[in-house]
Amino acid sequence: MTARYLRYLPLCVAMVAPAQHLTPDKQKIVEAARAHYYSLPDHGFDGLSCSVSFDWSTFPWGGSSPEQQANLKQTKFLVTIDGQGRSQVTAQPPDGPATVQPQGAAGLARALVAGVFLTWPTKGLFGPIPPFNTEVGDAAAVPEGFRFTLAVPGGPVTVITDKDYLASEVRSFHDEVDEHPVYSAMPEGLVYTANQAVTKNPDGTQSEIAFELNTQVLSGLRVPSSVHLRINRSIDVHYSLENCAVKKTAVVKVLPPK
């Protein structure tokens, strides 16, 4: 279950393709789109560390014994995210050291957290449009709004927005992964709060993954606070992020030369 779950999330495992030069008109489209989304690094985000608390009544126990369940409920899970969005999830059982590769039910629990936070940075850290123009291959007006082609891992990645730059679809891995992110209007701007992804499997079937993110404001930064994750019809799990510590840095605005 763990390996299949991680395989069908749009992870950053592909080579970065070269970006095309953006014309001034395309550059204006990109800048207008970016301005609509809440960018954590623009507000000093430099990392986040939280303990993970599962709602064990929603956990897919399978054939776990009562002893195994009791042991897992005492396991401490920790997720850390650095300033570039790179994440790590560790599990520390009551009778052993912390590890990033636990086995059995603990491995599944870790994967249910790791999978979400491997994909969250590509849409939740800066918004759906990456911060560097070298990562944007093209930007064009289309009948429904705008289409952005990104030269990023998993690319080419296509982002479709409406005429107000609200993203509605993201296609990656040569259209094998089709995602429908949800961005909610908040005082800070558009914030990533949900996603639904359909992945074409090699055997011709499809996998469906969906999650909702609640958020909280810590040290002036809006960060995730809880997750409701569903995978096909086999997993429907809730967990929250608690005892979070946020790292911040000073933001230096660099003005263009006069």
Side-chain angles (χ1 to χ4, degrees):
M1 174 62 72
T2 300
R4 285 181 61 84
Y5 170 65
L6 293 177
R7 160 64 180 84
Y8 296 126
L9 283 171
L11 309 183
C12 297
V13 297
M15 297 297 292
V16 176
Q20 301 174 8
H21 175 70
L22 295 175
T23 66
D25 287 343
K26 294 179 185 295
Q27 176 67 35
K28 289 179 181 179
I29 294 174
V30 171
E31 291 176 353
R34 285 192 186 121
H36 282 70
Y37 292 89
Y38 177 54
S39 169
L40 277 162
D42 285 354
H43 292 79
F45 177 84
D46 195 38
L48 176 69
S49 177
C50 302
S51 60
V52 181
S53 178
F54 281 91
D55 177 351
W56 294 115
S57 68
T58 68
F59 189 79
W61 290 107
S64 300
S65 68
E67 284 187 334
Q68 291 171 325
Q69 293 184 27
N71 186 69
L72 184 59
K73 290 177 181 179
Q74 297 180 61
T75 298
K76 297 178 180 179
F77 293 90
L78 179 70
V79 57
T80 57
I81 306 170
D82 69 14
Q84 288 73 49
R86 294 170 297 206
S87 63
Q88 184 178 65
V89 180
T90 57
Q92 183 174 7
D95 56 353
T99 176
V100 296
Q101 297 296 338
Q103 302 298 313
L108 173 59
R110 176 191 173 275
L112 295 175
V113 180
V116 169
F117 289 99
L118 276 169
T119 63
W120 173 78
T122 62
K123 303 171 189 68
L125 193 63
F126 297 96
I129 310 300
F132 302 110
N133 289 342
T134 53
E135 298 173 300
V136 181
D138 192 26
V142 293
E144 61 268 42
F146 298 94
R147 182 184 65 241
F148 300 86
T149 303
L150 309 182
V152 295
V157 173
T158 301
V159 178
I160 303 296
T161 75
D162 65 14
K163 296 182 185 298
D164 294 321
Y165 302 101
L166 179 62
S168 60
E169 185 176 14
V170 179
R171 298 194 299 268
S172 58
F173 289 94
H174 304 287
D175 292 343
E176 289 186 0
V177 180
D178 186 14
E179 300 177 84
H180 294 271
V182 175
Y183 289 89
S184 300
M186 298 189 183
E188 301 89 348
L190 293 173
V191 176
Y192 184 48
T193 56
N195 195 31
Q196 183 173 3
V198 176
T199 300
K200 298 177 183 177
N201 300 330
D203 61 4
T205 62
Q206 291 186 338
S207 294
E208 297 182 6
I209 300 172
F211 58 80
E212 292 90 42
L213 298 168
N214 288 321
T215 63
Q216 59 186 330
V217 177
L218 299 174
S219 301
L221 297 173
R222 186 170 291 278
V223 296
S225 63
S226 64
V227 177
H228 176 198
L229 172 65
R230 299 182 301 281
I231 304 176
N232 297 327
R233 298 185 180 182
S234 59
I235 292 177
D236 190 335
V237 67
H238 295 254
Y239 55 86
S240 59
L241 305 183
E242 300 177 351
N243 304 313
C244 295
V246 173
K247 292 176 62 178
K248 291 185 70 175
T249 59
V251 177
V252 180
K253 298 291 185 179
V254 179
L255 299 177
K258 297 182 178 180

